[in-house]
Amino acid sequence: DAGITQSPRHKVTETGTPVTLRCHQTENHRYMYWYRQDPGHGLRLIHYSYGVKDTDKGEVSDGYSVSRSKTEDFLLTLESATSSQTSVYFCAISAGTGGYEQYFGPGTRLTVT
Amino acid sequence: DAKTTQPNSMESNEEEPVHLPCNHSTISGTDYIHWYRQLPSQGPEYVIHGLTSNVNNRMASLAIAEDRKSSTLILHRATLRDAAVYYCILRDGGYSGGGADGLTFGKGTHLIIQP
């Protein structure tokens, strides 16, 4: 199994509070991704990174920011959590684009009350 | 992005082969065909991918039509553990946007395995 961990695995927070989710990899892969999964929507890309300090927006980036100061860590921050951000968040890594596979972490279940 | 079409669900018996179809009639010459699956309460798991030729690995086989407009994921001997949602996804091997390409997940095929 690819070395990807996510923390925390579960979190309950209140509306309006900031939340940071962490993705850590031991594979030294260049590319890292954050997805969210909601019933009826499947997985949707939030943000991605193609190198240290190189990040860009995905399909559903509003209300989220990311940072990558080291190859192994990719942080997702909800600046002011809302109930619509209640979801399961998955991190993924990849050694390349196109013909390279992505490996996913175990997910973080976030509930915003 | 090129789209894929999969049946919503399929049912098979344990220890029998399973053929999961995927149509991708608008595939471009640089698109790789990827398959992932997601078991209940888990993150997606990479299964297999290919470009033009059929591919085999320890988990499955991927058969790609000659015109590349369709493909089939083959599980040679299904077990109860193979019950999952299977996603067929195209990923552009010619991506040159300077960034990275995420995966676009559809609804996939819900595979049910009967004991």
Side-chain angles (χ1 to χ4, degrees), chain A residues 60-76:
Chain A
V60 289
S61 60
D62 286 348
Y64 300 95
S65 62
V66 290
S67 65
R68 191 169 177 202
S69 59
K70 299 185 288 186
T71 298
E72 58 265 36
D73 289 326
F74 192 32
L75 304 181
L76 176 72

Side-chain angles (χ1 to χ4, degrees), chain A residues 31 33 35 37 40 43 45 48 50 90 94 96-105, chain B residues 32 34 36 38 42-44 46 49 87 91-93 98-103 105 107:
Chain A
Y31 299 93
Y33 308 80
Y35 295 86
Q37 186 170 32
L43 278 87
L45 183 66
Y48 58 86
Y50 47 99
F90 291 102
S94 182
T97 60
Y100 291 84
E101 58 271 30
Q102 287 191 12
Y103 294 101
F104 287 78
Chain B
Y32 284 80
H34 286 247
Y36 290 79
Q38 188 171 22
Q42 295 189 25
Y46 166 77
H49 76 281
Y87 299 98
R91 199 173 185 207
D92 186 3
D101 58 326
L103 297 173
F105 285 80
K107 296 192 183 302

Side-chain angles (χ1 to χ4, degrees), chain A residues 19-90:
Chain A
V19 176
T20 295
L21 309 183
R22 179 183 183 234
C23 177
H24 179 78
Q25 62 148 329
T26 58
E27 305 296 321
N28 201 36
H29 283 349
R30 177 182 175 187
Y31 299 93
M32 298 185 75
Y33 308 80
W34 277 108
Y35 295 86
R36 61 178 288 175
Q37 186 170 32
D38 307 292
H41 284 281
L43 278 87
R44 292 179 291 174
L45 183 66
I46 304 171
H47 278 280
Y48 58 86
S49 170
Y50 47 99
V52 174
K53 292 185 169 45
D54 292 322
T55 65
D56 207 343
K57 297 178 180 179
E59 178 188 354
V60 289
S61 60
D62 286 348
Y64 300 95
S65 62
V66 290
S67 65
R68 191 169 177 202
S69 59
K70 299 185 288 186
T71 298
E72 58 265 36
D73 289 326
F74 192 32
L75 304 181
L76 176 72
T77 298
L78 288 64
E79 292 136 12
S80 177
T82 68
S83 58
S84 65
Q85 293 176 312
T86 293
S87 189
V88 180
Y89 292 85
F90 291 102

